[in-house]
Amino acid sequence: GSGRGMGAMGGATHASMHHLHGPPSAPGGAEKLQQPHILVMILSCHHYAQHWPELRKWGEATHPGGSVLILAGDPRLDAAYQLSLQDSLLLVKSSDAYEDLPEKVVRGLQAIGDS
C-alpha cells in the first residue's frame, strides 16, 4: 500500500469487532456460539507487515480470549479472500492502498460473515 497518512503503527490499530459463528451443526446454516466471541480485526497493509507481530500482541492484550486477525488487501488473489487462522491473517481481493481502505474493510467484513 501507499501507507500515506499512516505512522509506523498509526492507522493500523483501528479494530473492528464481529461475532463469529460456530460450526454449521444445525440444518440450513451456522449456529451462533453460546457465548459471544470477540474478533479484533486490525486494519493494516503489506507495507507495514513488519509490524504485524506487534499488532497481533496488541490485539491479544486488548481482548484476552478473543481472536485477532490482521486485514490486508491483495488484488492478485484468485478467491474473494484467503483466511489463515494459524497466521491470524485475512487477505481480501482488494487494493492494499490507503485510499482503497473502505473497499478493503467491506470485503473483510463480508469474508468474516461467510466464515
Side-chain angles (χ1 to χ4, degrees), residues 5 8 10 13-14 20 27 30-32 34 38 52-53 57 63-64 68 74-75 86 90 96 99-100 109 111:
T13 57
H14 180 270
L20 293 178
E31 291 181 2
K32 294 266 186 188
Q34 295 291 351
I38 299 292
W52 291 354
K57 287 179 187 173
H63 290 287
V68 176
D74 185 346
Q86 180 179 352
L90 174 59
D96 209 27
E99 54 272 8
D100 296 316
L109 292 173

Side-chain angles (χ1 to χ4, degrees), residues 8-99:
M9 297 277 288
T13 57
H14 180 270
S16 174
M17 292 176 275
H18 186 78
H19 291 246
L20 293 178
H21 296 281
S25 56
E31 291 181 2
K32 294 266 186 188
L33 292 173
Q34 295 291 351
Q35 297 282 329
H37 187 81
I38 299 292
L39 170 65
V40 180
M41 181 184 290
I42 302 173
L43 312 179
S44 191
C45 62
H46 290 279
H47 183 78
Y48 290 106
Q50 73 272 16
H51 296 289
W52 291 354
E54 301 162 49
L55 292 173
R56 284 185 192 98
K57 287 179 187 173
W58 172 85
E60 292 165 359
T62 301
H63 290 287
S67 297
V68 176
L69 283 178
I70 303 287
L71 173 66
D74 185 346
R76 301 166 298 162
L77 288 180
D78 291 329
Y81 64 91
Q82 178 181 327
L83 175 62
S84 172
L85 295 176
Q86 180 179 352
D87 295 330
S88 301
L89 183 61
L90 174 59
L91 297 176
V92 294
K93 188 171 185 150
S94 170
S95 167
D96 209 27
Y98 181 75
E99 54 272 8

